[in-house]
Amino acid sequence: MPRASGPLAEALAHRAVLLDGGLSNQLAAQGCDLSGGLWSGRVLAERPDQVEAAHTAYARAGAEVLITASYQIGYEAFAAHGHDRAETTALLHRSVRLAARAAEAADHEVWVAASVGPYGAVLADGSEYRGRYGLGVRELAAFHRPRIEALLAAGPDVLAVETIPDADEAEALLTVLAETGAPAWFSYTVAAGRTRAGGPLPEAFALAAASPQVIAVGVNCCDPADVLPALGAAAAVTTKPLLAYPNDGSVWNAATGTWHTPEAPAPWPLRAWRTAGARLVGGCCRIGPEHISALAALLPDRRP
């Protein structure tokens, strides 16, 4: 069946839409090796069949949006691992193609969102949870521009600009989005009521909401407890649909390459998130298909 009957923005104007969960989580569950600085990009290069299988698992769980395996792919980082520019471009294209194949095989309409992760993600040192890399807006825009252009050439339905830690990187990304005219959602990673770099959330959300290319704003890869305050800050500065796809409350330790999991599962007050304006809902790291399936049952206004 066709991937989707219309733009994602049109669906969000009328109903809730269910995202997938953490792609790396499902790849690990399938036995894939995510060690090394390329993370899920390594699986994309070496075992593309496993990436498609992971997308399919989320689609079968009810996900209506599949996010590509391009989060950590950058030309400079992949060059350091022996991939030339043409090979890296081909991997970016492959990430969209694999998600599209899983979407087209689903029994319901599914959008493909090309993941655009922050600069810190390609460093593979956890700096996306800190921001402030010492680069200016122009330098960050130059980093993101070729990745975004390559992803758009592969024909995704929307860009998922995600896990952005500060307003400087947001400004750079919004500059590139304005050049392309492509639709995108824009998602910050937050903690304790501020961006991960410590900036005020209202200003960060207002910056993203002012872009005509941005179809939804919100948060991802954060503690579920941080979602509702962030949604309140976003709703105060924009009437655009909001989005929320946190992790399970675990904290990433970049030094050891491990997650520190909370003693008890963090609550997901989905009803409160929906009341606050969240239309695009799903999970990030450590959230698997079983959790997405449970969310599907809690979203009465999503399309079956």
Side-chain angles (χ1 to χ4, degrees):
M1 65 178 298
R3 282 195 336 224
S5 58
L8 179 59
E10 290 183 4
L12 293 176
H14 302 289
R15 64 180 182 89
V17 174
L18 183 62
L19 289 168
D20 58 8
L23 186 64
S24 62
N25 182 87
Q26 181 60 19
L27 290 173
Q30 292 171 192
C32 298
D33 185 357
L34 276 72
S35 62
L38 300 184
W39 198 44
S40 58
R42 174 180 178 180
V43 185
L44 179 66
E46 299 175 358
R47 295 293 308 276
D49 60 313
Q50 290 295 312
V51 174
E52 185 175 352
H55 286 314
T56 297
Y58 282 113
R60 288 175 177 167
E64 299 173 273
V65 181
L66 299 177
I67 303 174
T68 65
S70 51
Y71 173 82
Q72 203 159 352
I73 297 179
Y75 285 96
E76 296 82 357
F78 271 63
H81 287 81
H83 295 272
D84 64 25
R85 196 169 187 84
E87 290 171 333
T88 300
T89 297
L91 286 176
L92 290 166
H93 290 177
R94 176 186 289 177
S95 73
V96 176
R97 187 168 65 251
L98 293 173
R101 288 199 333 215
E104 289 159 3
D107 62 0
H108 56 279
E109 66 175 354
V110 178
W111 289 269
V112 172
S115 175
V116 179
Y119 175 82
V122 305
L123 301 180
D125 62 359
S127 59
E128 67 260 52
Y129 300 117
R130 299 188 300 272
R132 305 286 170 80
Y133 318 111
L135 300 178
V137 171
R138 182 176 298 180
E139 293 167 300
L140 288 168
F143 166 79
H144 284 294
R145 186 173 289 109
R147 303 167 67 216
I148 289 175
E149 290 174 347
L151 287 168
L152 289 175
D157 298 301
V158 65
L159 295 175
V161 180
E162 55 183 355
T163 326
I164 306 307
D166 60 40
D168 287 346
E169 188 157 20
E171 184 178 348
L173 282 157
L174 291 166
T175 296
V176 178
L177 286 180
E179 295 168 359
T180 67
W185 77 64
F186 207 97
S187 183
Y188 291 96
T189 179
V190 301
R194 303 183 75 81
T195 68
R196 290 288 184 141
L201 283 182
E203 294 179 15
F205 285 129
L207 182 66
S211 167
Q213 281 74 52
V214 173
I215 65 170
V217 298
V219 295
N220 77 291
C221 210
C222 61
D223 192 299
D226 287 317
V227 170
L228 191 57
L231 292 177
V237 297
T238 183
T239 58
K240 290 186 178 184
L242 306 184
L243 63 94
Y245 54 115
N247 56 40
D248 69 343
S250 297
V251 176
W252 176 250
N253 186 320
T256 62
T258 57
W259 287 97
H260 292 179
T261 305
E263 294 182 4
W268 283 50
L270 184 61
R271 186 186 298 273
W273 298 351
R274 293 283 292 111
T275 300
R279 285 283 181 89
L280 198 54
V281 180
C284 201
C285 299
R286 317 272 292 175
I287 302 299
E290 68 286 346
H291 199 145
I292 298 306
S293 181
L295 287 179
L298 298 174
L299 289 174
D301 60 336
R302 64 180 287 273
R303 181 174 299 169

